[in-house]
Amino acid sequence: MARLQLNNLEKVYGGGFKAVHGINLDVEEGEFMVLVGPSGCAKSTTLRMIAGLEDITGGEVRIGERIVNTLEPGKRGIAMVFQNYALYPHMKVRTNLAFGLRIGGAKKAEAEKAVEEVAKILEIEPLLDRLPKQLSGGQAQRVALGRALIKKPDVFLFDEPLSNLDAKLRASMRVRITELHKRLKKEGMASTVVYVTHDQTEAMTMGDRICVMKDGHIMQVATPKELYDRPQNLFVAGFIGSPEMNVIDGRIDGTAFRTEGQVINLDEALAQRLTARPEQAALGVRPQHLKLAEGDNDALQAQLRSVEFMGHEVYLHALLDGREVTSVASAADYDAMDRSMDMIRLLPEPANIHIFDRESGHNVSLRAQG
Ligand code: ADP
Ligand code: MG
């Protein structure tokens, strides 16, 4: 277990392309940190620099007290699990697990004991004498996990390890990995984890904290709850949360937000905490906070386009001033709705409205923490 620090870390690839723009990240001892962002934002490049599989152009990687920039991968105290877990096909699971230790000079008996231990933790004891081709995808991924775990690394690196699994298996492996981390942490054995994914659900459910990246920059580092409640910019607001946050363009006029054709009254508290009044503003409200309204209040008019049934809730997709918005309604509210017209009335919950500067993307309405 060790603290991991990235200080002004930079990567310029051979052709002169700058992939990582001087990022700073501090991962605490035993912390589960998720790097998330769209494909191409340099998650893998960052992870590979930590692992020592990619040269560092500028800045430093620190593991514990050491700067490891030029240390070879085998000496950094790390283990890595990839999307393609590539077990040795001709070796039994038992031998696959022990391989790294044996190469590192461990005695046979010592390696065997470690294999038994790891197999027990991952519940793969019955699989030890099988060949990789006799394993299901989920089982093979657990063996790959075991192969990394057996090294007792200070820092555990994952690069989209669940991407090849089907949705159901992915969900159960997600829980398994976080449970394992919690359990090992209790026993004082857990590694510090950096886990890369492009999937916001994986990030939200697994991370102690999440680092959101875009184009080689860090957009925000925070706990899942804070990212959801207090996104610092439009990018994070749109990337985190499902369905995606609604963004409505307009301008601020006193305590009102005016779109082309409609008015949204902002509550006093929100109007007061605006740190700026951008010329071109965007109002953000999550579909869960854009409610079906009744009666003649301040509701917005929108034209209902389509409805998705999700079981206990319903996603309503509508056009508001020509822009698509989504509202999550309870199935009961939807049933009770007057469906004779295609116009619906929507009301953003005043306490859950964000105001962004359209140009810079900054959230100028951040609520106090907590
Ligand atoms: P991610 O893992 O977030 O999808 P990568 O770290 O793989 O992103 O890539 C980040 C950027 O660096 C991309 O634009 C990619 O095309 C570029 N890149 C990755 N590897 C190389 C390389 N070996 N040479 C040049 N550019 C690269
Ligand atoms: Mg990648």
PDB file of all heavy atoms in Angstrom, residues 68-106:
ATOM      1  N   VAL A  68       9.570   7.517  -9.439  1.00  0.00           N
ATOM      2  CA  VAL A  68       9.829   6.274 -10.175  1.00  0.00           C
ATOM      3  C   VAL A  68       9.993   6.480 -11.679  1.00  0.00           C
ATOM      4  O   VAL A  68      10.058   5.507 -12.432  1.00  0.00           O
ATOM      5  CB  VAL A  68       8.703   5.239  -9.914  1.00  0.00           C
ATOM      6  CG1 VAL A  68       8.605   4.901  -8.436  1.00  0.00           C
ATOM      7  CG2 VAL A  68       7.358   5.739 -10.433  1.00  0.00           C
ATOM      8  N   ASN A  69      10.064   7.753 -12.107  1.00  0.00           N
ATOM      9  CA  ASN A  69      10.122   8.070 -13.547  1.00  0.00           C
ATOM     10  C   ASN A  69      10.979   7.131 -14.390  1.00  0.00           C
ATOM     11  O   ASN A  69      10.592   6.747 -15.473  1.00  0.00           O
ATOM     12  CB  ASN A  69      10.665   9.494 -13.753  1.00  0.00           C
ATOM     13  CG  ASN A  69       9.615  10.541 -13.452  1.00  0.00           C
ATOM     14  OD1 ASN A  69       8.795  10.333 -12.576  1.00  0.00           O
ATOM     15  ND2 ASN A  69       9.644  11.653 -14.179  1.00  0.00           N
ATOM     16  N   THR A  70      12.156   6.812 -13.889  1.00  0.00           N
ATOM     17  CA  THR A  70      13.071   6.028 -14.715  1.00  0.00           C
ATOM     18  C   THR A  70      13.251   4.602 -14.194  1.00  0.00           C
ATOM     19  O   THR A  70      14.074   3.858 -14.711  1.00  0.00           O
ATOM     20  CB  THR A  70      14.456   6.714 -14.773  1.00  0.00           C
ATOM     21  OG1 THR A  70      14.902   6.920 -13.422  1.00  0.00           O
ATOM     22  CG2 THR A  70      14.371   8.062 -15.476  1.00  0.00           C
ATOM     23  N   LEU A  71      12.464   4.256 -13.194  1.00  0.00           N
ATOM     24  CA  LEU A  71      12.559   2.901 -12.625  1.00  0.00           C
ATOM     25  C   LEU A  71      11.865   1.918 -13.562  1.00  0.00           C
ATOM     26  O   LEU A  71      10.804   2.200 -14.092  1.00  0.00           O
ATOM     27  CB  LEU A  71      11.851   2.919 -11.275  1.00  0.00           C
ATOM     28  CG  LEU A  71      12.295   1.935 -10.198  1.00  0.00           C
ATOM     29  CD1 LEU A  71      13.749   2.164  -9.844  1.00  0.00           C
ATOM     30  CD2 LEU A  71      11.413   2.105  -8.968  1.00  0.00           C
ATOM     31  N   GLU A  72      12.450   0.745 -13.751  1.00  0.00           N
ATOM     32  CA  GLU A  72      11.793  -0.211 -14.645  1.00  0.00           C
ATOM     33  C   GLU A  72      10.514  -0.756 -13.996  1.00  0.00           C
ATOM     34  O   GLU A  72      10.393  -0.775 -12.764  1.00  0.00           O
ATOM     35  CB  GLU A  72      12.761  -1.338 -15.019  1.00  0.00           C
ATOM     36  CG  GLU A  72      13.209  -2.174 -13.835  1.00  0.00           C
ATOM     37  CD  GLU A  72      14.186  -3.259 -14.268  1.00  0.00           C
ATOM     38  OE1 GLU A  72      15.381  -2.957 -14.470  1.00  0.00           O
ATOM     39  OE2 GLU A  72      13.724  -4.396 -14.388  1.00  0.00           O
ATOM     40  N   PRO A  73       9.548  -1.170 -14.866  1.00  0.00           N
ATOM     41  CA  PRO A  73       8.219  -1.564 -14.375  1.00  0.00           C
ATOM     42  C   PRO A  73       8.266  -2.576 -13.230  1.00  0.00           C
ATOM     43  O   PRO A  73       7.548  -2.432 -12.238  1.00  0.00           O
ATOM     44  CB  PRO A  73       7.561  -2.184 -15.605  1.00  0.00           C
ATOM     45  CG  PRO A  73       8.232  -1.566 -16.766  1.00  0.00           C
ATOM     46  CD  PRO A  73       9.641  -1.257 -16.339  1.00  0.00           C
ATOM     47  N   GLY A  74       9.131  -3.557 -13.335  1.00  0.00           N
ATOM     48  CA  GLY A  74       9.209  -4.620 -12.346  1.00  0.00           C
ATOM     49  C   GLY A  74       9.623  -4.157 -10.966  1.00  0.00           C
ATOM     50  O   GLY A  74       9.451  -4.861  -9.976  1.00  0.00           O
ATOM     51  N   LYS A  75      10.188  -2.975 -10.870  1.00  0.00           N
ATOM     52  CA  LYS A  75      10.691  -2.482  -9.579  1.00  0.00           C
ATOM     53  C   LYS A  75       9.798  -1.414  -8.956  1.00  0.00           C
ATOM     54  O   LYS A  75      10.163  -0.793  -7.963  1.00  0.00           O
ATOM     55  CB  LYS A  75      12.107  -1.914  -9.772  1.00  0.00           C
ATOM     56  CG  LYS A  75      13.088  -2.972 -10.257  1.00  0.00           C
ATOM     57  CD  LYS A  75      14.496  -2.681  -9.830  1.00  0.00           C
ATOM     58  CE  LYS A  75      15.376  -3.904 -10.046  1.00  0.00           C
ATOM     59  NZ  LYS A  75      16.541  -3.577 -10.907  1.00  0.00           N
ATOM     60  N   ARG A  76       8.632  -1.156  -9.580  1.00  0.00           N
ATOM     61  CA  ARG A  76       7.776  -0.063  -9.086  1.00  0.00           C
ATOM     62  C   ARG A  76       6.762  -0.504  -8.040  1.00  0.00           C
ATOM     63  O   ARG A  76       6.042   0.316  -7.493  1.00  0.00           O
ATOM     64  CB  ARG A  76       7.037   0.595 -10.255  1.00  0.00           C
ATOM     65  CG  ARG A  76       7.975   1.295 -11.214  1.00  0.00           C
ATOM     66  CD  ARG A  76       7.223   2.142 -12.225  1.00  0.00           C
ATOM     67  NE  ARG A  76       8.190   2.728 -13.153  1.00  0.00           N
ATOM     68  CZ  ARG A  76       7.935   3.724 -13.981  1.00  0.00           C
ATOM     69  NH1 ARG A  76       6.721   4.261 -14.005  1.00  0.00           N
ATOM     70  NH2 ARG A  76       8.854   4.191 -14.774  1.00  0.00           N
ATOM     71  N   GLY A  77       6.648  -1.818  -7.803  1.00  0.00           N
ATOM     72  CA  GLY A  77       5.663  -2.287  -6.828  1.00  0.00           C
ATOM     73  C   GLY A  77       4.240  -2.175  -7.339  1.00  0.00           C
ATOM     74  O   GLY A  77       3.305  -1.936  -6.583  1.00  0.00           O
ATOM     75  N   ILE A  78       4.083  -2.334  -8.671  1.00  0.00           N
ATOM     76  CA  ILE A  78       2.749  -2.235  -9.256  1.00  0.00           C
ATOM     77  C   ILE A  78       2.347  -3.562  -9.910  1.00  0.00           C
ATOM     78  O   ILE A  78       3.201  -4.395 -10.210  1.00  0.00           O
ATOM     79  CB  ILE A  78       2.689  -1.143 -10.345  1.00  0.00           C
ATOM     80  CG1 ILE A  78       3.853  -1.352 -11.316  1.00  0.00           C
ATOM     81  CG2 ILE A  78       2.748   0.250  -9.761  1.00  0.00           C
ATOM     82  CD1 ILE A  78       3.481  -1.291 -12.722  1.00  0.00           C
ATOM     83  N   ALA A  79       1.052  -3.738 -10.095  1.00  0.00           N
ATOM     84  CA  ALA A  79       0.550  -4.838 -10.907  1.00  0.00           C
ATOM     85  C   ALA A  79      -0.567  -4.278 -11.757  1.00  0.00           C
ATOM     86  O   ALA A  79      -1.257  -3.349 -11.344  1.00  0.00           O
ATOM     87  CB  ALA A  79       0.035  -5.967 -10.031  1.00  0.00           C
ATOM     88  N   MET A  80      -0.725  -4.840 -12.948  1.00  0.00           N
ATOM     89  CA  MET A  80      -1.682  -4.248 -13.891  1.00  0.00           C
ATOM     90  C   MET A  80      -2.597  -5.322 -14.470  1.00  0.00           C
ATOM     91  O   MET A  80      -2.155  -6.418 -14.781  1.00  0.00           O
ATOM     92  CB  MET A  80      -0.873  -3.573 -14.995  1.00  0.00           C
ATOM     93  CG  MET A  80      -1.700  -2.681 -15.877  1.00  0.00           C
ATOM     94  SD  MET A  80      -0.661  -1.373 -16.570  1.00  0.00           S
ATOM     95  CE  MET A  80      -1.763  -0.730 -17.818  1.00  0.00           C
ATOM     96  N   VAL A  81      -3.887  -4.992 -14.598  1.00  0.00           N
ATOM     97  CA  VAL A  81      -4.838  -5.884 -15.266  1.00  0.00           C
ATOM     98  C   VAL A  81      -5.431  -5.139 -16.452  1.00  0.00           C
ATOM     99  O   VAL A  81      -5.907  -4.015 -16.317  1.00  0.00           O
ATOM    100  CB  VAL A  81      -5.989  -6.308 -14.315  1.00  0.00           C
ATOM    101  CG1 VAL A  81      -6.977  -7.215 -15.037  1.00  0.00           C
ATOM    102  CG2 VAL A  81      -5.429  -7.015 -13.096  1.00  0.00           C
ATOM    103  N   PHE A  82      -5.382  -5.783 -17.622  1.00  0.00           N
ATOM    104  CA  PHE A  82      -5.857  -5.154 -18.853  1.00  0.00           C
ATOM    105  C   PHE A  82      -7.212  -5.723 -19.271  1.00  0.00           C
ATOM    106  O   PHE A  82      -7.681  -6.720 -18.738  1.00  0.00           O
ATOM    107  CB  PHE A  82      -4.879  -5.437 -20.009  1.00  0.00           C
ATOM    108  CG  PHE A  82      -3.504  -4.943 -19.792  1.00  0.00           C
ATOM    109  CD1 PHE A  82      -2.547  -5.753 -19.205  1.00  0.00           C
ATOM    110  CD2 PHE A  82      -3.147  -3.665 -20.193  1.00  0.00           C
ATOM    111  CE1 PHE A  82      -1.248  -5.305 -19.021  1.00  0.00           C
ATOM    112  CE2 PHE A  82      -1.856  -3.211 -20.009  1.00  0.00           C
ATOM    113  CZ  PHE A  82      -0.901  -4.026 -19.427  1.00  0.00           C
ATOM    114  N   GLN A  83      -7.755  -5.094 -20.307  1.00  0.00           N
ATOM    115  CA  GLN A  83      -8.982  -5.587 -20.924  1.00  0.00           C
ATOM    116  C   GLN A  83      -8.748  -6.981 -21.515  1.00  0.00           C
ATOM    117  O   GLN A  83      -9.565  -7.876 -21.368  1.00  0.00           O
ATOM    118  CB  GLN A  83      -9.385  -4.599 -22.015  1.00  0.00           C
ATOM    119  CG  GLN A  83     -10.610  -4.982 -22.781  1.00  0.00           C
ATOM    120  CD  GLN A  83     -10.968  -3.901 -23.797  1.00  0.00           C
ATOM    121  OE1 GLN A  83     -10.485  -2.775 -23.728  1.00  0.00           O
ATOM    122  NE2 GLN A  83     -11.803  -4.254 -24.734  1.00  0.00           N
ATOM    123  N   ASN A  84      -7.608  -7.144 -22.193  1.00  0.00           N
ATOM    124  CA  ASN A  84      -7.259  -8.463 -22.733  1.00  0.00           C
ATOM    125  C   ASN A  84      -6.366  -9.160 -21.735  1.00  0.00           C
ATOM    126  O   ASN A  84      -5.181  -8.893 -21.662  1.00  0.00           O
ATOM    127  CB  ASN A  84      -6.528  -8.315 -24.063  1.00  0.00           C
ATOM    128  CG  ASN A  84      -7.401  -7.621 -25.072  1.00  0.00           C
ATOM    129  OD1 ASN A  84      -8.578  -7.937 -25.199  1.00  0.00           O
ATOM    130  ND2 ASN A  84      -6.844  -6.644 -25.752  1.00  0.00           N
ATOM    131  N   TYR A  85      -6.964 -10.071 -20.976  1.00  0.00           N
ATOM    132  CA  TYR A  85      -6.249 -10.590 -19.816  1.00  0.00           C
ATOM    133  C   TYR A  85      -5.165 -11.584 -20.175  1.00  0.00           C
ATOM    134  O   TYR A  85      -4.341 -11.902 -19.363  1.00  0.00           O
ATOM    135  CB  TYR A  85      -7.233 -11.192 -18.816  1.00  0.00           C
ATOM    136  CG  TYR A  85      -8.489 -11.733 -19.440  1.00  0.00           C
ATOM    137  CD1 TYR A  85      -8.515 -12.978 -20.038  1.00  0.00           C
ATOM    138  CD2 TYR A  85      -9.640 -10.960 -19.450  1.00  0.00           C
ATOM    139  CE1 TYR A  85      -9.676 -13.451 -20.623  1.00  0.00           C
ATOM    140  CE2 TYR A  85     -10.802 -11.421 -20.032  1.00  0.00           C
ATOM    141  CZ  TYR A  85     -10.828 -12.665 -20.620  1.00  0.00           C
ATOM    142  OH  TYR A  85     -11.956 -13.126 -21.192  1.00  0.00           O
ATOM    143  N   ALA A  86      -5.179 -12.087 -21.426  1.00  0.00           N
ATOM    144  CA  ALA A  86      -4.080 -12.893 -21.958  1.00  0.00           C
ATOM    145  C   ALA A  86      -3.419 -13.822 -20.947  1.00  0.00           C
ATOM    146  O   ALA A  86      -2.285 -13.605 -20.526  1.00  0.00           O
ATOM    147  CB  ALA A  86      -3.028 -11.964 -22.578  1.00  0.00           C
ATOM    148  N   LEU A  87      -4.118 -14.861 -20.550  1.00  0.00           N
ATOM    149  CA  LEU A  87      -3.501 -15.901 -19.729  1.00  0.00           C
ATOM    150  C   LEU A  87      -2.655 -16.783 -20.638  1.00  0.00           C
ATOM    151  O   LEU A  87      -2.920 -16.873 -21.837  1.00  0.00           O
ATOM    152  CB  LEU A  87      -4.596 -16.741 -19.056  1.00  0.00           C
ATOM    153  CG  LEU A  87      -5.559 -15.952 -18.166  1.00  0.00           C
ATOM    154  CD1 LEU A  87      -6.720 -16.814 -17.711  1.00  0.00           C
ATOM    155  CD2 LEU A  87      -4.820 -15.380 -16.969  1.00  0.00           C
ATOM    156  N   TYR A  88      -1.638 -17.414 -20.074  1.00  0.00           N
ATOM    157  CA  TYR A  88      -0.845 -18.335 -20.891  1.00  0.00           C
ATOM    158  C   TYR A  88      -1.700 -19.554 -21.209  1.00  0.00           C
ATOM    159  O   TYR A  88      -2.115 -20.268 -20.304  1.00  0.00           O
ATOM    160  CB  TYR A  88       0.422 -18.757 -20.160  1.00  0.00           C
ATOM    161  CG  TYR A  88       1.303 -17.576 -19.815  1.00  0.00           C
ATOM    162  CD1 TYR A  88       1.452 -17.147 -18.501  1.00  0.00           C
ATOM    163  CD2 TYR A  88       1.983 -16.885 -20.812  1.00  0.00           C
ATOM    164  CE1 TYR A  88       2.241 -16.046 -18.185  1.00  0.00           C
ATOM    165  CE2 TYR A  88       2.766 -15.787 -20.514  1.00  0.00           C
ATOM    166  CZ  TYR A  88       2.894 -15.376 -19.200  1.00  0.00           C
ATOM    167  OH  TYR A  88       3.668 -14.294 -18.908  1.00  0.00           O
ATOM    168  N   PRO A  89      -1.996 -19.805 -22.501  1.00  0.00           N
ATOM    169  CA  PRO A  89      -3.004 -20.803 -22.875  1.00  0.00           C
ATOM    170  C   PRO A  89      -2.614 -22.244 -22.536  1.00  0.00           C
ATOM    171  O   PRO A  89      -3.481 -23.074 -22.279  1.00  0.00           O
ATOM    172  CB  PRO A  89      -3.144 -20.618 -24.396  1.00  0.00           C
ATOM    173  CG  PRO A  89      -1.910 -19.920 -24.837  1.00  0.00           C
ATOM    174  CD  PRO A  89      -1.429 -19.111 -23.674  1.00  0.00           C
ATOM    175  N   HIS A  90      -1.322 -22.523 -22.510  1.00  0.00           N
ATOM    176  CA  HIS A  90      -0.889 -23.918 -22.302  1.00  0.00           C
ATOM    177  C   HIS A  90      -0.652 -24.235 -20.828  1.00  0.00           C
ATOM    178  O   HIS A  90      -0.275 -25.336 -20.474  1.00  0.00           O
ATOM    179  CB  HIS A  90       0.388 -24.169 -23.106  1.00  0.00           C
ATOM    180  CG  HIS A  90       1.499 -23.225 -22.724  1.00  0.00           C
ATOM    181  ND1 HIS A  90       1.488 -21.891 -23.122  1.00  0.00           N
ATOM    182  CD2 HIS A  90       2.597 -23.396 -21.974  1.00  0.00           C
ATOM    183  CE1 HIS A  90       2.563 -21.303 -22.633  1.00  0.00           C
ATOM    184  NE2 HIS A  90       3.251 -22.192 -21.928  1.00  0.00           N
ATOM    185  N   MET A  91      -0.846 -23.237 -19.962  1.00  0.00           N
ATOM    186  CA  MET A  91      -0.608 -23.467 -18.527  1.00  0.00           C
ATOM    187  C   MET A  91      -1.928 -23.565 -17.778  1.00  0.00           C
ATOM    188  O   MET A  91      -2.856 -22.800 -18.063  1.00  0.00           O
ATOM    189  CB  MET A  91       0.163 -22.285 -17.922  1.00  0.00           C
ATOM    190  CG  MET A  91       1.586 -22.170 -18.332  1.00  0.00           C
ATOM    191  SD  MET A  91       2.255 -20.737 -17.437  1.00  0.00           S
ATOM    192  CE  MET A  91       3.753 -20.497 -18.367  1.00  0.00           C
ATOM    193  N   LYS A  92      -1.961 -24.464 -16.785  1.00  0.00           N
ATOM    194  CA  LYS A  92      -3.134 -24.522 -15.923  1.00  0.00           C
ATOM    195  C   LYS A  92      -3.266 -23.216 -15.140  1.00  0.00           C
ATOM    196  O   LYS A  92      -2.291 -22.478 -14.983  1.00  0.00           O
ATOM    197  CB  LYS A  92      -2.975 -25.673 -14.922  1.00  0.00           C
ATOM    198  CG  LYS A  92      -3.199 -27.028 -15.536  1.00  0.00           C
ATOM    199  CD  LYS A  92      -3.072 -28.098 -14.469  1.00  0.00           C
ATOM    200  CE  LYS A  92      -3.313 -29.465 -15.083  1.00  0.00           C
ATOM    201  NZ  LYS A  92      -2.970 -30.528 -14.128  1.00  0.00           N
ATOM    202  N   VAL A  93      -4.455 -22.975 -14.619  1.00  0.00           N
ATOM    203  CA  VAL A  93      -4.723 -21.768 -13.832  1.00  0.00           C
ATOM    204  C   VAL A  93      -3.685 -21.624 -12.719  1.00  0.00           C
ATOM    205  O   VAL A  93      -3.100 -20.564 -12.494  1.00  0.00           O
ATOM    206  CB  VAL A  93      -6.149 -21.815 -13.242  1.00  0.00           C
ATOM    207  CG1 VAL A  93      -6.341 -20.745 -12.175  1.00  0.00           C
ATOM    208  CG2 VAL A  93      -7.176 -21.646 -14.361  1.00  0.00           C
ATOM    209  N   ARG A  94      -3.420 -22.739 -12.030  1.00  0.00           N
ATOM    210  CA  ARG A  94      -2.468 -22.774 -10.926  1.00  0.00           C
ATOM    211  C   ARG A  94      -1.099 -22.234 -11.353  1.00  0.00           C
ATOM    212  O   ARG A  94      -0.506 -21.397 -10.669  1.00  0.00           O
ATOM    213  CB  ARG A  94      -2.369 -24.248 -10.487  1.00  0.00           C
ATOM    214  CG  ARG A  94      -1.467 -24.569  -9.350  1.00  0.00           C
ATOM    215  CD  ARG A  94      -1.411 -26.094  -9.180  1.00  0.00           C
ATOM    216  NE  ARG A  94      -2.696 -26.725  -8.835  1.00  0.00           N
ATOM    217  CZ  ARG A  94      -3.282 -26.648  -7.646  1.00  0.00           C
ATOM    218  NH1 ARG A  94      -2.745 -25.956  -6.677  1.00  0.00           N
ATOM    219  NH2 ARG A  94      -4.420 -27.269  -7.420  1.00  0.00           N
ATOM    220  N   THR A  95      -0.653 -22.678 -12.512  1.00  0.00           N
ATOM    221  CA  THR A  95       0.663 -22.272 -13.003  1.00  0.00           C
ATOM    222  C   THR A  95       0.640 -20.819 -13.484  1.00  0.00           C
ATOM    223  O   THR A  95       1.593 -20.069 -13.272  1.00  0.00           O
ATOM    224  CB  THR A  95       1.114 -23.187 -14.158  1.00  0.00           C
ATOM    225  OG1 THR A  95       0.632 -24.504 -13.906  1.00  0.00           O
ATOM    226  CG2 THR A  95       2.618 -23.200 -14.271  1.00  0.00           C
ATOM    227  N   ASN A  96      -0.481 -20.436 -14.126  1.00  0.00           N
ATOM    228  CA  ASN A  96      -0.649 -19.041 -14.531  1.00  0.00           C
ATOM    229  C   ASN A  96      -0.521 -18.112 -13.335  1.00  0.00           C
ATOM    230  O   ASN A  96       0.131 -17.068 -13.405  1.00  0.00           O
ATOM    231  CB  ASN A  96      -2.037 -18.840 -15.176  1.00  0.00           C
ATOM    232  CG  ASN A  96      -1.976 -18.826 -16.692  1.00  0.00           C
ATOM    233  OD1 ASN A  96      -1.449 -17.900 -17.290  1.00  0.00           O
ATOM    234  ND2 ASN A  96      -2.492 -19.884 -17.299  1.00  0.00           N
ATOM    235  N   LEU A  97      -1.150 -18.510 -12.230  1.00  0.00           N
ATOM    236  CA  LEU A  97      -1.130 -17.675 -11.028  1.00  0.00           C
ATOM    237  C   LEU A  97       0.276 -17.576 -10.436  1.00  0.00           C
ATOM    238  O   LEU A  97       0.723 -16.519 -10.015  1.00  0.00           O
ATOM    239  CB  LEU A  97      -2.095 -18.229  -9.974  1.00  0.00           C
ATOM    240  CG  LEU A  97      -3.585 -18.023 -10.239  1.00  0.00           C
ATOM    241  CD1 LEU A  97      -4.419 -18.789  -9.215  1.00  0.00           C
ATOM    242  CD2 LEU A  97      -3.949 -16.543 -10.214  1.00  0.00           C
ATOM    243  N   ALA A  98       0.961 -18.711 -10.418  1.00  0.00           N
ATOM    244  CA  ALA A  98       2.271 -18.770  -9.754  1.00  0.00           C
ATOM    245  C   ALA A  98       3.387 -18.181 -10.606  1.00  0.00           C
ATOM    246  O   ALA A  98       4.447 -17.820 -10.091  1.00  0.00           O
ATOM    247  CB  ALA A  98       2.603 -20.224  -9.412  1.00  0.00           C
ATOM    248  N   PHE A  99       3.127 -18.054 -11.911  1.00  0.00           N
ATOM    249  CA  PHE A  99       4.183 -17.729 -12.867  1.00  0.00           C
ATOM    250  C   PHE A  99       5.020 -16.512 -12.477  1.00  0.00           C
ATOM    251  O   PHE A  99       6.251 -16.579 -12.412  1.00  0.00           O
ATOM    252  CB  PHE A  99       3.576 -17.542 -14.263  1.00  0.00           C
ATOM    253  CG  PHE A  99       4.598 -17.483 -15.348  1.00  0.00           C
ATOM    254  CD1 PHE A  99       5.287 -18.631 -15.736  1.00  0.00           C
ATOM    255  CD2 PHE A  99       4.891 -16.282 -15.977  1.00  0.00           C
ATOM    256  CE1 PHE A  99       6.246 -18.575 -16.732  1.00  0.00           C
ATOM    257  CE2 PHE A  99       5.850 -16.221 -16.981  1.00  0.00           C
ATOM    258  CZ  PHE A  99       6.530 -17.375 -17.363  1.00  0.00           C
ATOM    259  N   GLY A 100       4.326 -15.406 -12.179  1.00  0.00           N
ATOM    260  CA  GLY A 100       5.033 -14.163 -11.850  1.00  0.00           C
ATOM    261  C   GLY A 100       5.940 -14.318 -10.645  1.00  0.00           C
ATOM    262  O   GLY A 100       7.069 -13.828 -10.628  1.00  0.00           O
ATOM    263  N   LEU A 101       5.456 -15.048  -9.649  1.00  0.00           N
ATOM    264  CA  LEU A 101       6.235 -15.246  -8.415  1.00  0.00           C
ATOM    265  C   LEU A 101       7.464 -16.095  -8.689  1.00  0.00           C
ATOM    266  O   LEU A 101       8.565 -15.813  -8.211  1.00  0.00           O
ATOM    267  CB  LEU A 101       5.373 -15.934  -7.348  1.00  0.00           C
ATOM    268  CG  LEU A 101       4.217 -15.141  -6.753  1.00  0.00           C
ATOM    269  CD1 LEU A 101       3.544 -15.951  -5.653  1.00  0.00           C
ATOM    270  CD2 LEU A 101       4.701 -13.800  -6.209  1.00  0.00           C
ATOM    271  N   ARG A 102       7.261 -17.162  -9.479  1.00  0.00           N
ATOM    272  CA  ARG A 102       8.365 -18.078  -9.780  1.00  0.00           C
ATOM    273  C   ARG A 102       9.455 -17.356 -10.571  1.00  0.00           C
ATOM    274  O   ARG A 102      10.644 -17.517 -10.280  1.00  0.00           O
ATOM    275  CB  ARG A 102       7.840 -19.287 -10.576  1.00  0.00           C
ATOM    276  CG  ARG A 102       6.865 -20.143  -9.780  1.00  0.00           C
ATOM    277  CD  ARG A 102       7.546 -20.986  -8.709  1.00  0.00           C
ATOM    278  NE  ARG A 102       8.137 -22.199  -9.274  1.00  0.00           N
ATOM    279  CZ  ARG A 102       9.212 -22.813  -8.781  1.00  0.00           C
ATOM    280  NH1 ARG A 102       9.828 -22.294  -7.728  1.00  0.00           N
ATOM    281  NH2 ARG A 102       9.675 -23.901  -9.335  1.00  0.00           N
ATOM    282  N   ILE A 103       9.025 -16.536 -11.563  1.00  0.00           N
ATOM    283  CA  ILE A 103       9.973 -15.734 -12.342  1.00  0.00           C
ATOM    284  C   ILE A 103      10.761 -14.821 -11.420  1.00  0.00           C
ATOM    285  O   ILE A 103      11.958 -14.607 -11.589  1.00  0.00           O
ATOM    286  CB  ILE A 103       9.208 -14.854 -13.373  1.00  0.00           C
ATOM    287  CG1 ILE A 103       8.645 -15.727 -14.483  1.00  0.00           C
ATOM    288  CG2 ILE A 103      10.071 -13.742 -13.925  1.00  0.00           C
ATOM    289  CD1 ILE A 103       9.623 -16.006 -15.587  1.00  0.00           C
ATOM    290  N   GLY A 104      10.043 -14.282 -10.416  1.00  0.00           N
ATOM    291  CA  GLY A 104      10.673 -13.371  -9.462  1.00  0.00           C
ATOM    292  C   GLY A 104      11.567 -14.099  -8.458  1.00  0.00           C
ATOM    293  O   GLY A 104      12.125 -13.476  -7.566  1.00  0.00           O
ATOM    294  N   GLY A 105      11.646 -15.421  -8.553  1.00  0.00           N
ATOM    295  CA  GLY A 105      12.582 -16.178  -7.724  1.00  0.00           C
ATOM    296  C   GLY A 105      11.971 -16.830  -6.496  1.00  0.00           C
ATOM    297  O   GLY A 105      12.698 -17.339  -5.626  1.00  0.00           O
ATOM    298  N   ALA A 106      10.616 -16.854  -6.421  1.00  0.00           N
ATOM    299  CA  ALA A 106       9.998 -17.478  -5.252  1.00  0.00           C
ATOM    300  C   ALA A 106      10.181 -19.001  -5.291  1.00  0.00           C
ATOM    301  O   ALA A 106      10.175 -19.604  -6.361  1.00  0.00           O
ATOM    302  CB  ALA A 106       8.510 -17.130  -5.211  1.00  0.00           C
TER     303      ALA A 106
END
